[in-house]
Amino acid sequence: MIRRLLCLLILITPITNIFAQTSSTSEKKKMDAFVASLMSKMTLDEKIGQLNLVSVGFDVTGPIVSKNVNQNIEKGNVGGVFNTYTPVAVRKLQEIAVNHTRLKIPLIFGYDVIHGHKTIFPIPLGLASSWDMNMIKGTAAIAAQEASADGLNWVFSPMVDIARDPRWGRIAEGAGEDPWLGSQIAKAMIQGYQGSDYSVTKVMACVKHFALYGAAEAGRDYNTVDMSDRRMMQDYLPPYKAAVDAGAGSIMSSFNEINGVPATGNKWLMTDLLRKQWGFKGFVATDYTAINEMIPHGMGKDGYDVAKVAIDAGIDMDMVSEAYLDNLKKLVKDGKVPMSEIDASCRRVLEAKYKLGLFTDPYRYCNEQRAQVTIMKPAFLDAATEAAKRTIVLLKNSNNVLPLKSVGSIALVGPLADDHRDMIGPWSGAGDWKQSVSVLDGIKKLAGNVQINYARGSNITNDDWLIKRLGAGELGNENTSAQQMIDDAVAAAKKSDVVVAVVGESYTMSGEAASRSEIGLFGAQEDLLKALKATGKPLVVVLMNGRPLTLKWENDNADAMLETWFAGTEAGTAIADVLFGAYNPSAKLTITFPQDVGQIPIYYSHKNTGRPYAGDFIDRYKSRYLDISNDPLYPFGYGLSYTTFSYSDIKLNNSSIKPGQLLHVSATVSNTGKYDGEETVQLYTRQMVGSVTRPVKELKGFKKIFLKAGESQDVDFTISSNDLSFYDINMKYTYEPGDFKVFLGTNSQDVKEADFKLTK
Ligand code: BGC
């Protein structure tokens, strides 16, 4: 199985996109000539039509839907379509564009392919926990193969928004809190989707949401963002930049404002930074109705005003607002918008279509036969199992309760134990949840000899407000009384050797428009866990959720806990493998889990403050809480294994380096337990004194190593002055000589440290 995944990965070569490179290639010249010639024939209306992106059909992520789509395509009023797929559905719309419009310009077809198209992989926050860039790239490549076989050529992914507030439901869709790791993942995803040349099995990526969407105040979706330039440049923008550098073909603007101006109308962001400083050559689409949303934001009184703000900012394509369609012509005629802006945007959209080969063959992605042999093929399902296993984080394992023995009996309980729908996550539009493997299915298949005593135990929530908001049907609620469900689960527990409780969130509780003010398990599930605990049987808690949860009681009372996220189509297969030790968990959190919602935002790379709290209980005038420690429940980088690893002290080849030199940092890592296992060795640094204050730790590298039980390995890293660069007091990205610490360890807290100097 692993070999099959490797073969797949080998097919994905990480070469920079030819079109992302500069202007001088002959390919680029050919494209420029083609597009210029086409544009010379286009009317103003036809050009504006190319800037209109409409939604057809299945999925709607805003309060407005596109109307009269077929007629608009026929009139040349549409440049791109999203929310429809299959070779047949796409072909039908493409035929209208190609056969009925004057210049026969093909449409581009987009979709929210977030973590797989039909074969669903774990949610992005889960995938990130693998710290496995090849695997992440492989999942994007499979998503591209399936999506492109299903009529699509453009995916609204990756979401690279740094997020440090688990109240925000969309934290599920990103890579977590760290800019350095987020940048590596952004690059891997772009390479996986786009490959090197937009061959027919590839798609164009759309990096979202530019920018800072993950920093919505109070974790409330679509809310205001306000942050210093320094934090923006240092912590939030790097993953977008990494995606641009990797050759991303397109970018989506975010809903939020930045420095008082919504991203969709922010010329500094879209033109000065993105195009002029970063050299982005692709096109920018808005998020869903984001141009019109600039009216309630207060950027204009009507569509005419906000269309001008958006086009002036450098926004090329209008998703669903139709503000461009309705207003750009008049804006040009009134002399308010120069023709050059329309031309620039139209050119970028046509270039994207050219790169995707749509002018050569508009039906390039409409091959039904390819769809049949590609979608959900066994190798993809194997890859989904492998990915799911590599993203499951072991949070706790007292007395080696896990792995379970393949004999005896298990009480398998909890509202998610026999779930199919939730495990494919909040954003798996084309995913068919009926084909997903539940934990019950997975265990039955793997551990045939084990007696399974199944009981649902509780609903996900019995909270009336939530049931009203999300719908009892969507929540999969059962009508049986809460007490009866608990009684059944307790009876199952009493006759079993061990209890496995599968609890967490429903898929509707994370993702877009799914902010929560409390992020613990719901009362119904807490009652269930307490009743199970009272039976005295070993309690294994298996979590399915899209965000860090507050799990203090669970951590204190469960014997073992697994964070499985929403692990996708093969979730149940992978969870069973981990529970029974067919796979030794290796994933590590890329997001801090707070003890309590009141600690948010909580992240490992915080500043020291002038009054750092060092843990002395009675030390009052320190940066701390009265009622709780500053510690997270689980820190960034945390995750256990069935084996144990020990680290030697850090060895440095020198105690100081000069700019241009390399510091070699190493440690011997040993597998001191009984199982073979994989460890993610993490490297952090700290600059002790700077022209501006510096974080207490910053991730600078990691290595995944596989060690057999009893085996040891030296793990080496190098650090250069460039790795120590940051935005200095003048906002110049540079390094400063001085004292540093370097840390190596198994997570961001549990580290060995050493000192070194960077000299002039
Ligand atoms: C979301 C985007 C998504 C778009 C299209 C919006 O509501 O914010 O992430 O790509 O809808 O579905």
Side-chain angles (χ1 to χ4, degrees), residues 61 82-83 112 156 170 173 208-209 213 252 255 287-288 319 427 512:
T61 47
F82 70 109
N83 280 342
D112 285 289
F156 301 153
R170 302 198 78 171
E173 293 174 53
K208 66 193 192 184
H209 305 82
Y213 183 34
M252 186 185 291
F255 288 124
D287 203 343
Y288 206 99
M319 186 192 285
W427 208 321
E512 187 171 356

Side-chain angles (χ1 to χ4, degrees), residues 55 59-62 82-83 111-114 155-157 159 161 170 173 206 208-209 213 221-222 252-255 286-289 293 319-320 427 512:
S55 163
D59 302 284
V60 175
T61 47
F82 70 109
N83 280 342
Y111 195 57
D112 285 289
V113 174
I114 309 292
V155 294
F156 301 153
S157 174
M159 182 185 110
D161 306 322
R170 302 198 78 171
E173 293 174 53
C206 185
K208 66 193 192 184
H209 305 82
Y213 183 34
D221 211 356
Y222 318 121
M252 186 185 291
S253 72
S254 58
F255 288 124
T286 71
D287 203 343
Y288 206 99
T289 58
E293 289 174 26
M319 186 192 285
V320 183
W427 208 321
E512 187 171 356

Side-chain angles (χ1 to χ4, degrees), residues 61 90 99 129 143 272 408:
T61 47
V90 166
N99 297 337
S129 315
D272 299 346

Side-chain angles (χ1 to χ4, degrees), residues 461-504:
T461 179
N462 290 330
D463 181 295
D464 287 340
W465 171 285
L466 276 169
I467 293 173
K468 215 161 144 196
R469 285 288 296 111
L470 300 171
E474 286 298 289
L475 289 170
N477 274 8
E478 269 184 16
N479 256 339
T480 323
S481 81
Q483 193 54 53
Q484 184 60 54
M485 281 199 254
I486 288 183
D487 291 347
D488 293 347
V490 166
K494 284 188 175 154
K495 59 181 181 197
S496 306
D497 301 329
V498 59
V499 181
V500 174
V502 190
V503 293

